[in-house]
Amino acid sequence: MTESLIFFAVAGLILLGAARVVASRDLVHAVLWLAVVLVLTAGMFLLLGAPFLAGVQLLLYTGGVITLMLFGVMLTRRHHEIGVEVDSSRRLPGALGALALFGAMACAIFRTDLPAWPSSAPIPAPAIRRAFFTDHLVP
């Protein structure tokens, strides 16, 4: 019960952070909110019993990509002088498209036979490597 509550709390925080990424008017703030989302995604991997993927998420994405994005933004733009103008005339079609995509994904998830909760044993890195290079090589 508590695992489910923690899972949904982290998922809610990820959605909140993603909304802040999109709604942020300052580009540096958007990148920092993206870093928050990526750290929470690593936390989600830990909750699902994949510590290796959580570590990769933290090292590659949160550590590397966010650092490069911040350097790129700060070196190439004068972010304090440039404001982002938001055109609100396309919000309704965007919201309808997002709702349709959410409905399609929810329908696909509910029609798939998935276990209620994954096993609590962590998956070893050699098993992940073997799965990537044998069963899931083409996808």
Side-chain angles (χ1 to χ4, degrees):
M1 180 68 179
T2 59
E3 291 175 343
S4 295
L5 289 175
I6 293 172
F7 177 85
F8 286 116
V10 172
L13 288 173
I14 288 173
L15 289 175
L16 179 68
R20 294 295 301 158
V21 169
V22 175
S24 181
R25 292 185 181 261
D26 187 10
L27 194 56
V28 175
H29 290 161
V31 172
L32 292 175
W33 277 110
L34 181 62
V36 169
V37 169
L38 292 175
V39 168
L40 288 170
T41 305
M44 186 68 76
F45 282 137
L46 284 176
L47 287 174
L48 295 174
F52 176 74
L53 291 179
V56 168
Q57 176 79 20
L58 284 174
L59 287 175
L60 290 181
Y61 291 108
T62 308
V65 173
I66 296 297
T67 303
L68 287 174
M69 288 176 73
L70 279 175
F71 273 113
V73 167
M74 290 184 174
L75 289 175
T76 60
R77 296 180 112 187
R78 293 183 177 181
H79 62 277
H80 55 83
E81 295 176 2
I82 299 174
V84 178
E85 294 182 21
V86 179
D87 182 20
S88 62
S89 65
R90 308 285 295 191
R91 280 191 181 178
L92 182 63
L96 291 175
L99 189 62
L101 180 63
F102 177 77
M105 290 177 66
C107 184
I109 289 172
F110 286 124
R111 289 185 181 184
T112 305
D113 290 332
L114 295 173
W117 192 260
S119 64
S120 60
I123 302 170
I128 295 172
R129 181 190 70 228
R130 193 175 317 107
F132 276 157
F133 289 114
T134 56
D135 299 333
H136 304 288
L137 182 63
V138 174

